[in-house]
Amino acid sequence: MSAPLGGDRLTLDIAAEDRAELEVTTAAATLALRGPTTEAAIYDVRLTAGEHAHLRWLPQPLISAAGSNLRQTYTVELAATARFVLREEQLLGRADEEPGHLVSRILVHRAGRPLLDQHTAYGAPEPGWDGPAVLGGHRAVGQLLVVDPRLDVPRDPVLLGEGTKDGGAVLAPLEGGPALLATAVAPTSSALRELLDEAHAHALTH
């Protein structure tokens, strides 16, 4: 969708009740654009999974177009026995353009306790967002969160895509829950998706 525009306020509230299985995606990428005001657009996604539910949030990428200003928040509430997958893909600018200002937060609680609180910010006026310590010149960035009671075993962090020119990812366990988080950067959307798919497969088979 060609939204949100500057000044928009959008909210999605999605729940998988006890023992339900739900997968949510989008038909096309979400395009954040400059609006009639310089005020930030607000995009809130609230996800809830009940006992023994399985919720998968797998949208197409979010594109931060030049001049846009977007603040996006995921608020997730999981029951202790819920399974959950969240894939977030962000493309910073279209072809040959600088990105807009994109601020994103992922806040996850499991069984009423904090599991993840991650904050990222890209584009001007954020300092150093494109430097070697953050994106290193890449323009595609994403996260994959997998929460599953079956993952409650010791795991070591894993590097994926190391030694290639197509970016890389790290898959690491989260303290406080049977959960793995992959963070990836890549030069293109397709390379990013491959890294996140590899991380997902690794999470479920190792």
Side-chain angles (χ1 to χ4, degrees):
M1 62 179 177
S2 295
L5 305 176
D8 285 353
R9 292 180 176 270
L10 305 176
T11 300
L12 293 178
D13 199 337
I14 298 167
E17 302 293 345
D18 292 356
R19 299 186 182 279
E21 184 166 341
L22 177 63
E23 179 172 307
V24 183
T25 186
T26 55
T30 297
L31 181 60
L33 294 169
R34 180 197 301 269
T37 172
T38 58
E39 182 182 356
I42 305 297
Y43 185 26
D44 288 326
V45 180
R46 304 167 186 169
L47 304 169
T48 304
E51 297 291 350
H52 301 286
H54 189 186
L55 175 58
R56 297 182 295 277
W57 173 255
L58 305 172
Q60 297 302 314
L62 167 67
I63 303 171
S64 176
S68 63
N69 185 7
L70 175 62
R71 294 182 178 273
Q72 175 178 268
T73 302
Y74 291 103
T75 304
V76 183
E77 297 287 343
L78 304 174
T81 55
R83 291 186 288 158
F84 177 68
V85 177
L86 178 148
R87 185 185 68 215
E88 179 189 43
E89 298 171 305
Q90 300 166 340
L91 304 182
L92 305 178
R94 294 170 291 189
D96 298 322
E97 77 171 8
E98 290 297 311
H101 186 209
L102 174 60
V103 178
S104 181
R105 185 183 184 191
I106 302 175
L107 179 61
V108 183
H109 285 82
R110 177 177 178 269
R113 298 176 62 86
L115 177 64
L116 175 67
D117 189 348
Q118 177 176 280
H119 180 278
T120 57
Y122 307 111
E126 302 296 335
W129 66 273
D130 196 25
V134 185
L135 296 184
H138 292 302
R139 284 294 184 269
V141 60
Q143 281 73 232
L144 176 80
L145 174 64
V146 180
V147 183
D148 192 322
R150 297 172 297 181
L151 297 177
D152 197 13
V153 295
R155 302 284 289 258
D156 293 323
V158 177
L159 293 176
L160 304 171
E162 191 175 18
T164 72
K165 296 181 180 180
D166 292 329
V170 61
L171 178 68
L174 294 181
E175 184 69 27
L180 295 169
L181 176 67
T183 301
V185 296
T188 65
S189 175
S190 59
L192 179 68
R193 178 65 64 86
E194 289 181 5
L195 285 167
L196 294 179
D197 285 347
E198 183 181 356
H200 194 192
H202 198 284
L204 298 180
T205 58
H206 290 75

